[in-house]
Amino acid sequence: MSDRHTQDWDPRAESVLNDQIAAYDEMRSRCPVAFSDYLQWSLFRHADVMCVLEDHETFSNAASRHLSVPNAMDPPEHTRFRRIIEPYFGPEAMAAFAPQCRAIAESVVGRLPADGEVEAMTEMGQDFALEIQCAFMGWPTSLHEPLRAWVKRQQAATLAGDREALGELALEFDGVIRELLASRCDAGDAAPDDVTTRIMNETVEGRALTDEEIVSILRNWTVGELGTISASIGILMRYLAANSELQERLRADRCLLPAAIDEILRLDAPLMSNRRITTCPVEIGGRRLEAGERLTILWGSANRDEAVFGDPDELRLDRDSKDNLLYGAGIHVCPGAPLARMELQDFMDALLDATTDIEPVPGRPAVRALYPAGGYSEVPLHVHR
C-alpha cells in the first residue's frame, strides 16, 4: 500500500501522540483525508465521516480479521443480529438495571478520600467500569481483578503493536467467557436469569447462536465498555476540576448533566476511532480510493469540526445533539448508548452529591492516553467532601 501512496502524516509521531486532539485539529484543515502506513486513510472532517456512516454499501464495516458480532458486519447479516441485541438496551432493560447502576455509582464514589488526592482513571474510572459491566452481565465480583489485569496487559500490547500478545490475550478473554457459558450450561434450569444466560438462549433466523457468536457479542460489549466508560470518567472528572464555574452550575442544576456529559465527551473523545473498508472505487474529500482500501474514522476530530460546531472547545449546553457523533450514527450507531448514558449520569450525579469541590493537583497535570486510546492515562485530582 505504501508504495502507491504518499505519506501525508505520521500518526505515531511524538508530536501527534503527545496531544492527539491538537494534531487532529491541525490535520482537519491541512489534509482532511490523509494517508499513512499505520492507519491507511484517515478521515478528519465531520462531513466526510457522515458520508461514510450513511453509505454502508460503499464503506463496509467488515474490516476485522476476526468474527465480530455485529460490529464488523453489514446488512442483512448485521440487521439480524442488531434485532437480537437492541432489546438488551431498551427502556425496560434500563429501568430494571437502574437501581443497581445507581448503587454501584454511589459505592465507587463513596471510596473517595474525605479530603485528599485521587487518581481518577484507576481509582474511579476503571473501578466503576469493571463493577458496572460485571453487574450488567451477571458476572461474579471475583472477575474484577482478573479483568483489571487483563485490560492493563491488553493496553500495553496495543501500544507496543504486539500482534502475538494481542492474539494470546484475545484467546485468554474468550476462555473466561467460555467458562461462564459452561457454568450456565451445567446449571441448566438453575442458571441465573441474567444478560449472559439470555444471550445464550437467543436465536437468529430460527437457529441457536453458535458459541463463537455468543463469545463475540459478549467480548464486544465488555471490552468496549471497559475502555470507553473508564476513559469517559477520567475526561469528565478532569474537565469539571478544570472548569469550576461549570462544576458549580451542575451542582446547582442536575438537569443540565446529560447535555454537559455529551458535550464534554464531544470535545474530548473517549473513543478515538473506528474502521471501514471500501467495496468499490470512490472519491471522498477530494481523494480517490480504490476497492479494498482501509479507512480510519477519527471521532476525536469529526466531533470537533469547526464547520459544524464552531469553536471546538466551546462547551454549549444548548447544542443540538443530532450532530454529536459520540455514539456514532447511521445503522451502526452504538446500541449500548442508553446504558452508557445512564451509567455516566449516575456516576456524575453521585460524584456531585458526595463532594463539595474537585480541583486539579498543582504541578501534576493529567497525562494524555496514547492512540488508540482516548482521554487520559492519569488524572490526579484533589477532592473535598
Side-chain angles (χ1 to χ4, degrees):
M1 186 74 74
S2 59
D3 61 346
R4 294 196 296 111
H5 297 298
T6 301
Q7 292 271 92
D8 296 310
W9 72 309
D10 180 5
R12 289 174 290 187
E14 187 175 353
S15 59
V16 174
L17 292 177
N18 284 345
D19 192 341
Q20 295 180 71
I21 298 295
Y24 297 169
D25 286 349
E26 189 267 336
M27 287 297 296
R28 195 165 52 249
S29 60
R30 180 174 73 80
C31 187
V33 179
F35 183 82
S36 67
D37 283 336
Y38 182 46
L39 297 181
Q40 307 299 293
W41 292 101
S42 295
L43 305 185
F44 294 90
R45 289 191 305 209
H46 192 281
D48 294 331
V49 168
M50 286 302 299
C51 177
V52 169
L53 298 180
E54 292 172 348
D55 184 359
H56 55 82
E57 292 184 358
T58 302
F59 303 98
S60 169
N61 237 52
S64 175
R65 296 177 176 84
H66 309 286
L67 178 67
S68 182
V69 182
N71 304 36
M73 290 178 167
D74 296 318
E77 188 178 33
H78 170 266
T79 309
R80 292 194 286 266
F81 283 96
R82 279 287 296 227
R83 195 176 295 127
I84 293 170
I85 287 168
E86 285 177 350
Y88 288 86
F89 305 99
E92 287 187 17
M94 294 301 93
F97 187 58
Q100 195 174 6
C101 183
R102 177 69 189 190
I104 292 171
E106 291 174 349
S107 173
V108 172
V109 168
R111 298 168 206 159
L112 285 169
D115 182 9
E117 290 188 17
V118 62
E119 202 291 284
M121 280 302 300
T122 54
E123 297 176 48
M124 292 285 104
Q126 289 179 16
D127 278 7
F128 183 63
L130 284 165
E131 294 181 31
I132 205 75
Q133 182 62 12
C134 285
F136 180 72
M137 301 301 294
W139 295 356
T141 57
S142 59
L143 275 181
H144 291 172
E145 292 313 309
L147 280 176
R148 187 196 304 275
W150 183 89
V151 168
K152 186 174 182 179
R153 285 184 286 133
Q154 191 214 32
Q155 290 172 341
T158 300
L159 286 175
D162 189 337
R163 289 188 176 276
E164 183 177 347
L166 286 170
E168 291 171 357
L169 285 162
L171 289 174
E172 179 183 332
F173 190 86
D174 289 359
V176 171
I177 296 178
R178 289 180 188 277
E179 286 180 15
L180 292 163
L181 301 182
S183 69
R184 283 162 170 74
C185 286
D186 292 342
D189 292 340
D193 180 21
D194 56 26
V195 166
T196 301
T197 301
R198 290 197 290 275
I199 281 287
M200 292 173 65
N201 294 321
E202 293 285 1
T203 60
V204 59
E205 296 290 283
R207 66 165 177 82
L209 297 181
T210 66
D211 284 351
E212 288 72 21
E213 288 165 345
I214 295 168
V215 168
S216 178
I217 291 169
L218 299 182
R219 183 202 310 121
N220 284 335
W221 284 1
T222 304
V223 175
E225 178 87 352
L226 293 178
T228 54
I229 290 297
S230 61
S232 295
I233 296 297
I235 292 166
L236 291 166
M237 290 185 70
R238 189 216 66 85
Y239 194 90
L240 287 195
N243 294 273
S244 57
E245 186 178 333
L246 175 65
Q247 188 181 150
E248 290 177 15
R249 193 176 172 194
L250 294 177
R251 288 184 188 282
D253 187 355
R254 302 303 173 80
C255 293
L256 298 174
L257 259 179
I261 291 169
D262 278 10
E263 257 294 86
I264 293 167
L265 299 179
R266 173 196 66 76
L267 57 88
D268 199 345
L271 177 65
M272 273 299 177
S273 65
N274 275 135
R275 296 178 296 172
R276 296 291 191 274
I277 188 167
T278 56
T279 62
C280 60
V282 63
E283 184 173 301
I284 185 165
R287 306 296 293 265
R288 167 83 176 181
L289 278 65
E290 301 302 326
E293 303 241 33
R294 293 182 173 271
L295 296 89
T296 301
I297 293 172
L298 287 169
W299 307 114
S301 174
N303 251 355
R304 294 174 54 82
D305 192 332
E306 296 84 353
V308 176
F309 302 104
D311 179 355
D313 289 311
E314 181 189 9
L315 186 136
R316 282 182 41 197
L317 300 184
D318 62 346
R319 195 184 296 280
D320 189 340
S321 62
K322 70 176 176 61
D323 293 322
N324 190 335
L325 301 178
L326 175 59
Y327 296 102
I331 65 168
H332 293 285
V333 66
C334 177
L339 175 62
R341 284 196 163 104
M342 181 171 72
E343 291 171 348
L344 294 175
Q345 182 167 347
D346 280 355
F347 181 91
M348 296 306 291
D349 220 5
L351 180 69
L352 294 173
D353 280 344
T355 60
T356 58
D357 192 23
I358 308 167
E359 302 174 305
V361 177
R364 291 180 57 202
V367 179
R368 280 280 180 189
L370 301 179
Y371 187 89
Y376 302 86
S377 59
E378 294 178 29
V379 181
L381 299 174
H382 192 108
V383 297
H384 302 272
R385 301 190 67 179

